[in-house]
Amino acid sequence: MRATTIHAPFDMRVEDVPDPVIKASTDVVVRVLRACICGSDLWAYRGESARQPGQRIGHEFLGLVEETGAEVRDFRVGDLVVAPFVWSDGTCEYCAEGLQTSCPSGGFWGSVGSDGGQGEAVRVPFADGTLVKLPAEAAGDDHLLTALLALSDVMGTGHHAALGAGVTKGSTVAVVGDGAVGLCGVLAARRLGAERIIALGRHTARTDIARGFGATDVVAERGEAAEAAVRALTGGQGAHAVIEAVGTEQSMRTAVNITRDGGAIGYVGVPHGSGTGLDLSVMFDRNIALRGGVAPVRAYIPELLPDILDGTIDPSPVFDLTVDLAGVPGGYRAMDERTALKVLVKP
């Protein structure tokens, strides 16, 4: 089959690799119908996170079950399924608690020795604990498939951030980050009943999506100017709930400084850079809570799926460029150069 591999910074290739095969009785093989490039993939692309030459990449995909292991109970050949960005056994204490990202038997797509989502097919370990079945008729609906793909990561991650930030009905929310996760955080905050949602971003195409997702205000400034603008919009107090979806020192500092005393930050931006921007004494004095981390999206898919199916939420606008498998290297360039928000891949 064909799959995307990374060989060095900025060196992405689509190559022939061995077809996936069943290795354990709990495996399935999924033929990929939709995949995408994640903002976090760019850290490997830019050489800021290590990869072995030839390693697979991509952790968001949905597709059709092509083969099943002997002990797989919940899936049959031909089922349409979505995969969260980690696999998990579904039986450990962490999985029972809804923290599948800490499953001792779990792992990330594209890790050494595993298939990546940006290819024609994927071997899925622990299929019963990992995959979620989708309605068969969705396979023929291009728009719906695109929206459902967001369940593999960005929609669940935005929801995780909103929960960590304590978004409730009537609350004021600020969102730091105008990438796909930040935009899905806006959508999640609206879904949870936020009354006011302030999106921080300076790219009009992205802030237009934020407004469509429910943002009531947009702040284009950065740093201290952004902090002043948010405080001006909130009577000087700041937001009850702040979603941090970038992961840099500056973004975290901004998040702390725009949080209302007694409020909370939900952080899901993958940390990178020289520090976190956290001053615990400031957070202590102002009773600011910090919750978040790697989103256990497998726990959220059953809750979010019905709202996508009935149109209550539609995250599909975050995908603004579509490529075939051969176009994946160009898709990375487009995201790196910020000419694309999130690239959809149709193998």
Side-chain angles (χ1 to χ4, degrees), residues 87-121:
W87 69 79
S88 53
D89 62 23
T91 61
C92 72
E93 291 184 5
Y94 285 115
C95 288
E97 295 168 1
L99 194 63
Q100 288 90 344
T101 49
S102 291
C103 175
S105 300
F108 288 80
W109 312 113
S111 56
V112 175
S114 73
D115 295 319
Q118 295 162 20
E120 292 181 328

Side-chain angles (χ1 to χ4, degrees), residues 175-237:
V175 181
V176 181
D178 61 1
V181 170
L183 294 173
C184 285
V186 171
L187 192 57
R190 188 194 72 183
R191 177 180 175 274
L192 292 171
E195 182 176 332
R196 191 171 196 181
I197 304 172
I198 304 167
L200 280 68
R202 58 174 54 190
H203 301 275
T204 303
R206 299 182 180 203
T207 55
D208 285 349
I209 295 173
R211 290 188 186 278
F213 280 1
T216 56
D217 304 272
V218 170
V219 169
E221 294 84 358
R222 299 182 71 178
E224 292 182 359
E227 296 163 15
V230 172
R231 291 198 170 273
L233 288 169
T234 57
Q237 293 185 340

Side-chain angles (χ1 to χ4, degrees), residues 301-328:
I301 293 175
E303 176 184 351
L304 297 172
L305 175 58
D307 283 1
I308 290 181
L309 293 175
D310 68 14
T312 300
I313 57 174
D314 178 11
S316 65
V318 302
F319 300 99
D320 62 344
L321 176 64
T322 300
V323 299
D324 60 12
L325 200 53
V328 169

Side-chain angles (χ1 to χ4, degrees), residues 46-341:
R46 295 166 179 161
E48 296 183 40
S49 60
R51 295 291 188 276
Q52 295 183 6
Q55 191 171 335
R56 310 286 180 83
I57 196 166
H59 55 260
E60 301 158 282
F61 65 94
L62 58 75
L64 298 171
V65 175
E66 196 168 68
E67 186 179 358
T68 66
E71 293 185 48
V72 174
R73 304 179 308 274
D74 298 336
F75 301 99
R76 299 290 181 269
V77 172
D79 284 345
L80 179 67
V81 294
V82 63
F85 64 80
V86 301
W87 69 79
S88 53
D89 62 23
T91 61
C92 72
E93 291 184 5
Y94 285 115
C95 288
E97 295 168 1
L99 194 63
Q100 288 90 344
T101 49
S102 291
C103 175
S105 300
F108 288 80
W109 312 113
S111 56
V112 175
S114 73
D115 295 319
Q118 295 162 20
E120 292 181 328
V122 177
R123 180 182 73 89
V124 178
F126 303 109
D128 289 335
T130 300
L131 299 173
V132 176
K133 189 181 298 186
L134 302 173
E137 57 270 21
D141 186 329
D142 186 70
H143 182 88
L144 181 56
L145 275 183
T146 301
L148 291 169
L149 178 61
L151 290 172
S152 63
D153 185 346
V154 290
M155 189 63 232
T157 298
H159 179 67
H160 186 59
L163 293 179
V167 177
T168 57
K169 187 173 183 180
S171 59
T172 295
V173 181
V175 181
V176 181
D178 61 1
V181 170
L183 294 173
C184 285
V186 171
L187 192 57
R190 188 194 72 183
R191 177 180 175 274
L192 292 171
E195 182 176 332
R196 191 171 196 181
I197 304 172
I198 304 167
L200 280 68
R202 58 174 54 190
H203 301 275
T204 303
R206 299 182 180 203
T207 55
D208 285 349
I209 295 173
R211 290 188 186 278
F213 280 1
T216 56
D217 304 272
V218 170
V219 169
E221 294 84 358
R222 299 182 71 178
E224 292 182 359
E227 296 163 15
V230 172
R231 291 198 170 273
L233 288 169
T234 57
Q237 293 185 340
H240 300 94
V242 175
I243 290 172
E244 194 286 315
V246 182
T248 63
E249 184 171 349
Q250 178 180 314
S251 64
M252 186 61 80
R253 184 180 295 112
T254 297
V256 171
N257 290 339
I258 63 175
T259 303
R260 184 180 187 271
D261 287 15
I265 300 167
Y267 72 105
V268 292
V270 178
H272 55 279
S274 59
T276 64
L278 287 177
D279 186 333
L280 292 181
S281 64
V282 170
M283 299 180 69
F284 180 86
D285 291 344
R286 297 176 50 214
N287 281 283
I288 294 175
L290 181 68
R291 293 185 293 268
V294 184
V297 299
R298 176 61 181 82
Y300 301 137
I301 293 175
E303 176 184 351
L304 297 172
L305 175 58
D307 283 1
I308 290 181
L309 293 175
D310 68 14
T312 300
I313 57 174
D314 178 11
S316 65
V318 302
F319 300 99
D320 62 344
L321 176 64
T322 300
V323 299
D324 60 12
L325 200 53
V328 169
Y332 273 87
R333 286 193 297 273
M335 286 183 63
D336 183 50
E337 296 167 358
R338 296 181 71 86
T339 59
L341 168 60

